[in-house]
Amino acid sequence: LYDITPAAQDLFPANYDGLATGLLAAVRTMGGEQLIDDLFAARRRQLGERMQQRLADRLGPDASLGDAVRELAVFQDEQGYLCRAVDDGDGVAWLQQFNCAIHHVARQTPAACAAELELFREVLGASVVRESHIASGDRCCSYRIEGHRPD
């Protein structure tokens, strides 16, 4: 009597988190932690290319670090991280993520968060230090960012 159209699929329960953690477990049994690290490194490179292109398109080559962090926050927010950027006015910017869109993956696979941290460093070309971490029990992931973007 009833059918769910493709447009309505996102309105119903899904198990993407279970799928992701299950796939990572299968990858781990096939190639161990090195293959997991390689997998997240490849994902980091893909996301990095997308972010770099987005920064170039939206901000141009002369964007300030603060502008780049704000754009990164918008990108992360679109990915489900409930993200915001804060500039303390003293040359330090903060990126705060109030949701972990990959929480179960992050808790079981530290390589996910390590790749994210390295991604932020690469994309921003700045010093990025994680000050708090949801997967470690904190209320948000908070990143202290300072330095300058490369010319």
Side-chain angles (χ1 to χ4, degrees):
L1 293 175
Y2 298 98
D3 188 20
I4 300 173
T5 67
Q9 285 294 328
D10 288 340
L11 300 174
F12 290 88
N15 189 18
Y16 300 120
D17 195 46
L19 174 65
T21 56
L23 287 173
L24 287 170
V27 168
R28 187 174 281 113
T29 63
M30 292 171 32
E33 290 304 315
Q34 184 58 54
L35 188 53
I36 294 290
D37 291 345
D38 293 346
L39 179 68
F40 278 100
R43 182 175 184 269
R44 185 190 78 236
R45 286 188 297 275
Q46 290 173 340
L47 284 174
E49 289 172 8
R50 283 180 42 209
M51 286 182 185
Q52 291 287 12
Q53 187 62 52
R54 181 173 172 152
L55 290 174
D57 291 347
R58 293 190 179 190
L59 302 177
D62 298 326
S64 69
L65 180 61
D67 289 341
V69 171
R70 281 187 288 280
E71 188 60 36
L72 177 58
V74 170
F75 183 88
Q76 288 296 95
D77 195 62
E78 291 167 358
Q79 305 306 309
Y81 288 90
L82 300 178
C83 197
R84 75 174 178 181
V86 177
D87 189 344
D88 75 358
D90 195 27
V92 176
W94 293 87
L95 183 71
Q96 297 172 313
Q97 298 178 151
F98 296 97
N99 179 54
C100 181
I102 60 165
H103 187 256
H104 289 104
V105 169
R107 292 200 41 147
Q108 294 179 17
T109 310
C113 296
E116 180 183 70
L117 181 59
E118 187 60 30
L119 172 68
F120 294 166
R121 289 175 177 150
E122 290 172 0
V123 167
L124 297 172
S127 170
V128 180
V129 176
R130 183 184 295 121
E131 298 283 334
S132 62
H133 188 216
I134 292 172
S136 297
D138 293 321
R139 295 184 67 160
C140 74
C141 288
S142 181
Y143 300 88
R144 185 180 207 277
I145 304 164
E146 57 188 320
H148 57 76
R149 297 196 52 178
D151 296 333

